[in-house]
Amino acid sequence: MDFVDILQLNKHEVISVVGAGGKTSLINYIANRYRYNKKVLMTTTTKIYIPNKDVYDDMYMVGAKTGITIPKTVGVTVVGKYIRGEKIVGVNFEDLKELIPNFDLILIESDGSRRKKLKGWNNKEPVVYYNSTKTIGVLDITSYGMSIKDNNIHRLEELKKITDINNIKININNLVDIVLNKNGLFKNSYGERILFINKVENKANEEIAKILTHKINEHKHNLNIVYGSIKDDYFKIIKKNGR
């Protein structure tokens, strides 16, 4: 079973992806699966690096209400407000309202992490569209055991507000807090909530992922949990609350 099968997508799904450690890769993975039979919108409500040309078919910048009509063609279309340097500045919610009817599947990168393994969230993050049907939270399993001195955490001081990381290294309880804290990974989420534990690419990391899911399932939650690897095209679903 691959990730797309697990998602069980309906027509006009609006999927917002948050977190760190594989958001862009996951969006590219999903988009590629539907590239040749659906009209796929790839966009952001924050900022993203300009994608490689091999992952999309068309790109448009809508500017300040320029009146551009997005063509209704099968393929992956990247849409942003404008390009600044290496990044695409994202669209706002009003833009999304106009864009969504033109597409069969909408994929929104709704969080920024500056390519770090973990992040904390300020008052304005993540920027999840309120009509999202699914919010996927990405968690990098290789962040377990890393030192907070490794410069692999975006907004470290914000992260310290939701979990005790004064022990210098990231532990299982820290990861549980990141997932379940009301100001953590699923802050501002809408629709079905899916936790994706990424980079499970060896037996050691799979054991850590199993321990993490067990710890999460000791708490009341409404998450569907998947662990695996985008790179290896390997995914395992853990049913809601471990049942």
Side-chain angles (χ1 to χ4, degrees):
M1 180 177 288
D2 67 18
F3 199 84
V4 169
D5 294 328
I6 291 169
L7 287 176
Q8 297 180 330
L9 298 181
N10 298 309
K11 190 173 178 64
H12 291 298
E13 290 273 11
V14 181
I15 300 176
S16 291
V17 184
V18 299
K23 294 188 304 294
T24 302
S25 296
L26 181 61
I27 286 173
N28 290 344
Y29 176 91
I30 298 170
N32 186 61
R33 284 295 309 274
Y34 290 104
R35 186 172 187 174
Y36 303 104
N37 58 9
K38 288 186 182 295
K39 293 169 284 185
V40 181
L41 169 63
M42 185 186 295
T43 189
T44 179
T45 52
T46 58
K47 297 176 184 177
I48 56 172
Y49 286 96
I50 299 170
N52 293 330
K53 291 183 178 180
D54 60 346
V55 303
Y56 67 89
D57 300 287
D58 292 294
M59 180 185 291
Y60 295 91
M61 297 297 116
V62 297
K65 298 296 180 184
T66 59
I68 293 176
T69 300
I70 306 301
K72 298 182 179 181
T73 56
V74 168
V76 176
T77 303
V78 176
V79 178
K81 204 75 171 176
Y82 53 87
I83 294 174
R84 179 188 293 161
E86 298 180 324
K87 290 187 175 183
I88 295 173
V89 175
V91 296
N92 59 37
F93 290 176
E94 290 302 313
D95 294 327
L96 282 170
K97 279 184 182 179
E98 295 182 19
L99 288 166
I100 284 172
N102 294 292
F103 296 91
D104 302 312
L105 174 62
I106 296 85
L107 302 171
I108 308 170
E109 191 161 332
S110 303
D111 207 357
S113 60
R114 294 191 179 179
R115 296 177 171 171
K116 306 290 187 179
K117 290 189 176 186
L118 289 178
K119 73 164 293 183
W121 293 265
N122 66 23
N123 292 335
K124 298 179 180 179
E125 298 174 318
V127 188
V128 181
Y129 182 52
Y130 53 81
N131 281 329
S132 297
T133 56
K134 290 178 170 63
T135 301
I136 302 175
V138 178
L139 185 69
D140 184 342
I141 198 63
T142 66
S143 64
Y144 170 79
M146 78 178 187
S147 170
I148 65 171
K149 297 180 179 180
D150 288 344
N151 195 31
N152 264 321
I153 300 175
H154 181 43
R155 303 199 195 285
L156 175 59
E157 294 307 311
E158 297 295 335
L159 188 61
K160 287 180 178 179
K161 295 176 183 179
I162 64 173
T163 187
D164 178 10
I165 50 177
N166 292 325
N167 55 12
I168 305 302
K169 288 190 175 182
I170 299 296
N171 60 36
I172 287 292
N173 290 332
N174 296 143
L175 297 181
V176 172
D177 288 341
I178 289 167
V179 173
L180 296 181
N181 189 285
K182 66 179 182 179
N183 292 314
L185 186 58
F186 289 96
K187 175 187 172 188
N188 301 337
S189 62
Y190 291 92
E192 179 186 355
R193 306 199 309 171
I194 302 165
L195 169 63
F196 174 52
I197 304 169
N198 190 27
K199 301 185 184 177
V200 179
E201 293 161 3
N202 55 50
K203 289 183 178 180
N205 283 341
E206 184 148 17
E207 286 304 310
I208 297 166
K210 288 178 180 178
I211 293 169
L212 175 59
T213 55
H214 176 76
K215 288 285 188 181
I216 291 171
N217 283 331
E218 291 178 348
H219 301 264
K220 184 178 180 180
H221 66 78
N222 62 350
L223 300 173
N224 289 315
I225 304 174
V226 180
Y227 71 70
S229 166
I230 301 167
K231 185 183 78 172
D232 293 346
D233 200 9
Y234 165 64
F235 306 96
K236 183 176 178 62
I237 187 168
I238 308 296
K239 292 186 180 296
K240 184 176 174 180
N241 290 327
R243 300 192 185 102

